Amino acid sequence: MFAPGELRLLALAAVAAAGLGAFEVALTLRNAELAMGPAALGLMFATCSVVMFAVQGLVFSPLVNPAAARLLVAPAFLVMAMGLAVVPILAGLTEMLLRFPLFRLRPA
């Protein structure tokens, strides 16, 4: 059904998608606190997308040996984990995440 190692790659892809989703949700929830309008937030997300596409294009290009690209996976996940670990430490984010669902339950 799956080739050897495919499940591990699928799990890594799921972790990367969850990390990117957490990043986007955290920034969207802090939009007002960061004094960013919708246009600035959209521009920031578009810039991040362009940078991610460029890095992936470089890493998976014929210029980089696939064995060397494999060595970049663990450090990339470590950097992502460190960034996600810092997000809850930021002032007020934990409280905002805990209270956010409660706002939706209150009648208008």
Side-chain angles (χ1 to χ4, degrees), residues 7-54:
L7 286 177
R8 283 185 291 176
L9 288 175
L10 187 60
L12 286 175
V15 169
L20 183 61
F23 165 74
E24 291 176 352
V25 168
L27 284 177
T28 303
L29 289 176
R30 294 185 65 117
N31 190 23
E33 185 179 328
L34 297 172
M36 295 175 67
L41 186 64
L43 180 63
M44 185 184 64
F45 283 143
T47 304
C48 288
S49 295
V50 169
V51 170
M52 287 186 283
F53 287 138

Side-chain angles (χ1 to χ4, degrees), residues 34-89:
L34 297 172
M36 295 175 67
L41 186 64
L43 180 63
M44 185 184 64
F45 283 143
T47 304
C48 288
S49 295
V50 169
V51 170
M52 287 186 283
F53 287 138
V55 169
Q56 288 178 18
L58 176 67
V59 169
F60 296 113
S61 73
L63 300 174
V64 178
N65 185 5
R70 183 177 176 194
L71 297 174
L72 296 174
V73 173
F77 275 97
L78 179 64
V79 169
M80 184 179 73
M82 290 186 317
L84 289 175
V86 171
V87 170
I89 296 171

